[in-house]
């Protein structure tokens, strides 16, 4: 399900709008990942606080959205653009790629709460495709 | 038997008491047909589903969205026995409608996004977890009678 030119344009336009809230989106999405899919917490057993106001969660959310920003800038070749991040996730972090889909869903939910008028069904499908392709690129180096 | 915390029970009742069924049902089904176009295969008799605008304006989609949401209401009112509540509907979806049970999850994700859009900041992480747990139980019950 590759990205069409229309998908890319829609994602870029939506990103331009939500970019200023990126840090908040990241932290909130991570918190939702932990509450809705508690198995995801195993990757963060080194943190004492996994609450929505936790400094660790907020900082990490910011980092994650930095990755999303990178992906938007490399939208024409996500596999190449996210190669380093893929290697990090595959060899160091060893995150089960199933979690990428779960976090993608949480990111969409956060955007829905903050920008309900902008996440129309048409925008939703483009963003869902983008996040799926991002997740695939992130899984590239796993095996 | 599913264990519900007091928070989860109260949250589910609260969410559904505040929902505009006439809006949310159609919105969720429309979104599902747009975001996951292969789900359109089950609605061959619904006429024009050619693009997002057509789907949004399709009266049969709207009517069916309301049917689905009112069906969900049955689980809201019978949270301690969702499995039996949906036994007949499960047989209907498997034997007559032949819906791939993966689709239930897709519709449930779209419903979550629509509810999130409606509730805004009230749709906290804890509320999302409660809703998704409820929907997961519904999805599981609907898939139970498949062979």
């Amino acid at each position: 399900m590759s990205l069409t030119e229309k998908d890319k344009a829609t994602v870029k336009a939506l990103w331009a709008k939500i970019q200023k809230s990126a840090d908040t989106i990241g932290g909130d999405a991570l918190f939702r990942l932990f509450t809705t899919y508690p198995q995801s917490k195993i990757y963060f057993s080194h943190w004492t606080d996994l609450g929505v106001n936790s400094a660790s969660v907020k900082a990490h959310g910011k980092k994650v959205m930095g990755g999303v920003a990178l992906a938007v800038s490399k939208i024409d070749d996500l596999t190449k653009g996210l190669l380093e991040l893929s290697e990090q996730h595959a060899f160091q972090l060893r995150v089960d790629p199933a979690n990428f889909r779960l976090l993608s869903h949480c990111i969409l939910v956060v955007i829905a709460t903050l920008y309900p008028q902008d996440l129309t069904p048409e925008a939703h499908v483009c963003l869902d495709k983008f996040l799926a392709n991002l997740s695939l690129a992130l899984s590239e180096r796993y095996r | 038997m599913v264990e519900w915390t007091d928070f989860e029970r109260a949250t589910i009742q609260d969410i559904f008491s505040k929902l505009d069924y006439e809006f949310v049902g159609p919105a969720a089904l429309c979104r599902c047909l747009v975001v996951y176009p292969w789900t359109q295969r089950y609605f061959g008799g619904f006429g024009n589903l050619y693009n997002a605008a057509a789907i949004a304006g399709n009266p049969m989609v709207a009517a069916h969205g309301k049917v689905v949401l009112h069906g969900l209401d049955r689980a809201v009112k019978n949270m301690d026995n969702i499995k039996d509540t949906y036994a007949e509907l499960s047989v209907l979806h498997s034997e007559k409608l032949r819906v791939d049970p993966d689709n239930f999850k897709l519709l449930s994700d779209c419903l979550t996004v629509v509810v999130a859009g409606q509730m805004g900041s009230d749709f906290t992480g804890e509320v999302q977890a409660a809703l998704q747990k409820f929907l997961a139980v519904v999805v599981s019950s609907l898939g139970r009678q498949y062979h």
Side-chain angles (χ1 to χ4, degrees), chain A residues 53-69:
Chain A
N53 292 311
S54 152
S56 312
V57 172
K58 285 182 181 175
H60 199 70
K62 190 174 167 182
K63 208 187 277 188
V64 166
M65 293 311 278
V68 174

Side-chain angles (χ1 to χ4, degrees), chain A residues 28-84:
Chain A
D28 194 8
L30 265 182
F31 173 66
R32 284 168 193 277
L33 180 71
F34 299 147
T35 21
T36 312
Y37 309 105
Q39 68 271 25
S40 61
K41 293 192 284 189
I42 57 160
Y43 296 105
F44 301 95
S45 49
H46 51 288
W47 290 352
T48 46
D49 183 5
L50 289 169
V52 68
N53 292 311
S54 152
S56 312
V57 172
K58 285 182 181 175
H60 199 70
K62 190 174 167 182
K63 208 187 277 188
V64 166
M65 293 311 278
V68 174
L70 174 68
V72 174
S73 74
K74 307 281 183 186
I75 202 167
D76 289 315
D77 192 344
L78 284 169
T79 311
K80 190 162 155 222
L82 298 180
L83 203 60
E84 262 185 60

Side-chain angles (χ1 to χ4, degrees), chain A residues 3-128:
Chain A
L3 299 175
T4 62
E5 290 311 313
K6 182 160 167 261
D7 289 327
K8 294 180 192 177
T10 306
V11 167
K12 285 182 192 170
L14 189 59
W15 180 251
K17 196 152 189 197
I18 69 177
Q19 196 172 17
K20 58 185 188 304
S21 318
D23 296 353
T24 317
I25 293 174
D28 194 8
L30 265 182
F31 173 66
R32 284 168 193 277
L33 180 71
F34 299 147
T35 21
T36 312
Y37 309 105
Q39 68 271 25
S40 61
K41 293 192 284 189
I42 57 160
Y43 296 105
F44 301 95
S45 49
H46 51 288
W47 290 352
T48 46
D49 183 5
L50 289 169
V52 68
N53 292 311
S54 152
S56 312
V57 172
K58 285 182 181 175
H60 199 70
K62 190 174 167 182
K63 208 187 277 188
V64 166
M65 293 311 278
V68 174
L70 174 68
V72 174
S73 74
K74 307 281 183 186
I75 202 167
D76 289 315
D77 192 344
L78 284 169
T79 311
K80 190 162 155 222
L82 298 180
L83 203 60
E84 262 185 60
L85 273 173
S86 180
E87 288 187 351
Q88 186 192 22
H89 282 75
F91 302 126
Q92 286 166 26
L93 304 173
R94 307 266 176 101
V95 177
D96 188 322
N99 293 287
F100 301 154
R101 196 182 46 80
L102 304 181
L103 183 56
S104 297
H105 170 70
C106 290
I107 290 172
L108 277 166
V109 167
V110 175
I111 294 174
T113 62
L114 294 174
Y115 302 93
Q117 306 305 327
D118 296 288
L119 198 67
T120 60
E122 297 97 310
H124 182 162
V125 63
C126 298
L127 194 56
D128 193 60

